[in-house]
Amino acid sequence: MKQRETKRRRKGRREWKIEIPNDVMEEIVMRLPVRSIMRFQAVSKHWESMIKTRDFRARHMAHQRSKDPKLMFVSYGQYHIRFEQRDMETTSLEESLCLKIEEIKGAIAISECCDGLVCFYGLTDAVRVINMATETSLVPPLPLAKFQQLYKDHPDPDLEVEMEDVTDEDDDLHTVPVPFILFTRFGFGKDRVTGRYKIVWLYNIYPATLNKKKKTRCEVFDFEEWRWRFVTTRPLDHHQILSSQRPSFANGSLYWLTGDERGYPSTQTKLIVFDIYTEMFQVTSTPPFITPDASGDKIGLCNLDGRLCISELKGDCKQEFWWRVEECNKWERIFSVDLNSTSCWFGGITSQPLTPLAISKDNNKVVLSLTYQGNLVDFDLDPDSTVYHLYYSGYYGLAVPYFPSLSLVHATF
């Protein structure tokens, strides 16, 4: 009798089921690593359809952004490009991805990271998009932009004598001499209304005498349309962009600084803003805390913790950082850095502005970088602190803050 009761009880325990509400299950799955979430799609059709929704991806990204970002270090050789994911607190290596690539002639350019996606490309080589969290190139190489085709077909501007038809939104079909276009980096961002990802390639036209008013062209690649198209740059008449910069994306817009007629730094610097949703440009003055005649190469522009951050390196080697608080439509000072205190890690350089990569919410510190320097320095954001530390030292081409994401995982093109 006792044996039967024991068997019954055991059988009862084996048949016991716990029902977890769907909304609770979604919250649990949303907190899992990206690769685990991708494997969970095989559990059931319901889970697969849930994970593929835009709403789930957006909530997953919001959860990732509530934590400190990872840091992505990018390096490359002649036939490969390597991505490393490192923990922000310890800088320990967590993931790495090495992709074989065809030979890229010239330098490789790397975009800012947007929702865990990063682009790499060459002057005449197709743009490729990578999601580090899935260890894959998610979409085929993009078609060449008109900018790239021009340079590929006419690499030597001194030999340009041909004529070329050009069409854009604010011009009828017309014939102009083939221009020399100085290589600039494109902007990569997301339409905050529709959620569509777009690449925006704004570049200067040389020589300026080709058209006294029209000094720039802009091509946009919409991943939903899978094609490049020109957009009007009429609001930018008489303005050219600072050629050495990488545009910054924040709150649905891309930002550039203006340069002189050759794209070099100017003391008449303006701020160019492109709304990714409306695809309209506007030119504005730099914020009031920037010295009116500050040279463009002394002004820093970046995305910091999802906000537009602007800084100016003053003559006393002090650099003051501000960011835009969209909720109350104002600028807020966040910290100041003395480059005399950081120069020992940056080759003695005090003449170039530093770029803040990321802010650690857990440790209340900011990580600072300097172009073409392998070291990173961290700075305690306590108002009473003036302590700097060497944060990381090593070989890499670029370091960017990064949040593992499901972006474009389910895209089909």
Side-chain angles (χ1 to χ4, degrees), residues 312-346:
E312 180 188 354
L313 176 58
K314 303 288 182 70
D316 60 358
C317 298
K318 301 285 180 62
Q319 187 176 353
E320 198 170 69
F321 295 83
W322 297 67
W323 63 14
R324 183 76 175 175
V325 183
E326 293 293 328
E327 297 82 2
C328 52
N329 194 31
K330 69 175 185 179
W331 290 96
E332 180 181 275
R333 183 183 181 278
I334 41 179
F335 62 91
S336 178
V337 171
D338 185 348
L339 270 67
N340 290 311
S341 301
T342 62
S343 62
C344 59
W345 292 294
F346 293 131

Side-chain angles (χ1 to χ4, degrees), residues 123 147 150-152 154-162 164 176-184 203-210 215-217 240 243 261-262 264:
L123 182 57
F147 166 84
L150 276 174
Y151 204 94
K152 190 171 185 177
H154 307 280
D156 187 349
D158 295 329
L159 300 179
E160 297 314 317
V161 293
E162 299 183 22
E164 185 214 11
V176 297
V178 175
F180 169 55
I181 305 170
L182 188 65
F183 183 49
T184 56
Y203 46 84
N204 298 330
I205 301 172
Y206 299 107
T209 53
L210 283 175
K215 299 178 182 297
T216 56
R217 284 194 195 136
Q240 293 191 279
S243 61
E261 288 190 352
R262 295 293 299 176
Y264 298 137

Side-chain angles (χ1 to χ4, degrees), residues 89 148 161 171 175 177 196 221 227 234 253 258 261 272 351 397 401:
E89 182 178 355
Q148 294 174 298
V161 293
D171 286 310
T175 305
R196 296 165 79 156
F221 187 88
R227 68 184 180 94
R234 183 166 295 178
S253 295
T258 61
E261 288 190 352
I272 294 175
S351 58

Side-chain angles (χ1 to χ4, degrees), residues 61 72 111-119 129-132 138 188 197 223 402-403 405-409:
M61 176 52 65
M72 179 192 294
S111 74
E112 280 191 329
C113 194
C114 179
D115 284 358
L117 303 174
V118 67
C119 306
V129 186
I130 295 293
N131 185 329
M132 173 75 186
L138 295 170
F188 179 42
Y197 295 100
F223 283 82
Y402 157 75
F403 294 96
S405 80
L406 292 162
S407 299
L408 286 180
V409 167

Side-chain angles (χ1 to χ4, degrees), residues 20-43:
I20 302 177
N22 286 338
D23 57 343
V24 175
M25 182 60 70
E26 286 188 24
E27 289 296 318
I28 294 172
V29 175
M30 186 181 68
R31 285 163 168 74
L32 296 174
V34 169
R35 282 176 227 169
S36 297
I37 293 176
M38 293 176 67
R39 287 195 293 268
F40 266 80
Q41 293 178 91
V43 172

Side-chain angles (χ1 to χ4, degrees), residues 75-81 101 108:
S75 58
Y76 56 87
Q78 191 172 9
Y79 297 102
H80 77 276
I81 185 165
I101 56 176
I108 293 179

Side-chain angles (χ1 to χ4, degrees), residues 76-145:
Y76 56 87
Q78 191 172 9
Y79 297 102
H80 77 276
I81 185 165
R82 181 180 178 84
F83 301 86
E84 293 183 349
Q85 175 184 309
R86 293 183 177 271
D87 178 76
M88 185 172 176
E89 182 178 355
T90 65
T91 71
S92 59
L93 180 64
E94 296 180 332
E95 305 283 351
S96 66
L97 170 63
C98 188
L99 296 177
K100 292 182 179 179
I101 56 176
E102 295 181 4
E103 181 180 6
I104 290 184
K105 297 171 183 175
I108 293 179
I110 313 292
S111 74
E112 280 191 329
C113 194
C114 179
D115 284 358
L117 303 174
V118 67
C119 306
F120 68 94
Y121 56 101
L123 182 57
T124 58
D125 296 276
V127 178
R128 276 159 279 192
V129 186
I130 295 293
N131 185 329
M132 173 75 186
T134 62
E135 294 192 345
T136 55
S137 178
L138 295 170
V139 297
L142 274 58
L144 293 182

